[in-house]
């Protein structure tokens, strides 16, 4: 059973930065596509970023140039560096593992419990 544990969320002012971490079960990061999704209150869960097993990154347009997804195989950890944060980035952020780095929820088989990110104006 794959386990994913997110951390790094918190309260930050607009324009600030946060780095989210997703600690995964052994060998998950090196054998899976890893994704980050977010869900704001009253909204659908949406794709944010993904990285393929070979390291290719993918981003939703609204975060391009501000967010960076990366992975460290030795630590079985995926990161989401978030810069120039905006109030509209406020959401619960979820880490997910799947087979291919698609933008759809259905492509991911395992999910973390989420970490809250709140950006104040």
């Amino acid at each position: 059973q794959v386990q994913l544990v997110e951390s790094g969320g918190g309260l930050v002012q607009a324009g600030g930065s946060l780095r989210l971490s997703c600690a995964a079960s052994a060998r998950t990061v090196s054998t899976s596509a890893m994704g980050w999704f977010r869900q704001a209150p009253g909204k659908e869960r949406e794709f944010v970023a993904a990285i393929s097993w070979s390291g290719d990154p993918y981003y939703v347009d609204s975060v391009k140039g501000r967010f960076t997804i990366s992975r460290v195989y030795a630590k079985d950890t995926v990161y989401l560096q978030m810069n120039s944060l905006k109030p509209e980035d406020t959401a619960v952020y979820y880490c997910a593992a799947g087979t291919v780095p698609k933008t759809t929820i259905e492509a991911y088989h395992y999910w973390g419990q989420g970490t809250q990110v709140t950006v104040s104006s």
Side-chain angles (χ1 to χ4, degrees):
Q1 182 72 13
V2 172
Q3 292 187 326
L4 305 171
V5 179
E6 302 97 332
S7 62
L11 173 64
V12 64
Q13 289 187 333
S17 299
L18 284 174
R19 188 178 78 159
L20 305 184
S21 300
C22 173
S25 303
R27 300 198 305 120
T28 299
V29 171
S30 61
T31 59
S32 304
M34 302 297 296
W36 285 98
F37 287 73
R38 65 187 179 188
Q39 187 167 17
K43 295 188 176 181
E44 299 282 326
R45 190 172 299 188
E46 65 173 359
F47 170 79
V48 176
I51 188 166
S52 70
W53 65 269
S54 59
D56 298 318
Y58 304 86
Y59 301 98
V60 67
D61 286 347
S62 60
V63 308
K64 284 180 181 178
R66 300 189 298 123
F67 291 12
T68 303
I69 188 170
S70 61
R71 64 204 301 170
V72 176
Y73 293 124
K75 295 184 177 181
D76 283 300
T77 301
V78 176
Y79 301 97
L80 185 67
Q81 177 66 45
M82 306 186 296
N83 299 327
S84 302
L85 283 161
K86 304 175 181 180
E88 51 263 43
D89 294 318
T90 295
V92 177
Y93 283 70
Y94 296 91
C95 175
T99 305
V100 292
K102 291 187 176 181
T103 63
T104 57
I105 293 173
E106 294 75 16
Y108 297 85
H109 312 301
Y110 303 99
W111 293 83
Q113 83 289 348
T115 185
Q116 177 71 46
V117 171
T118 303
V119 184
S120 63
S121 57

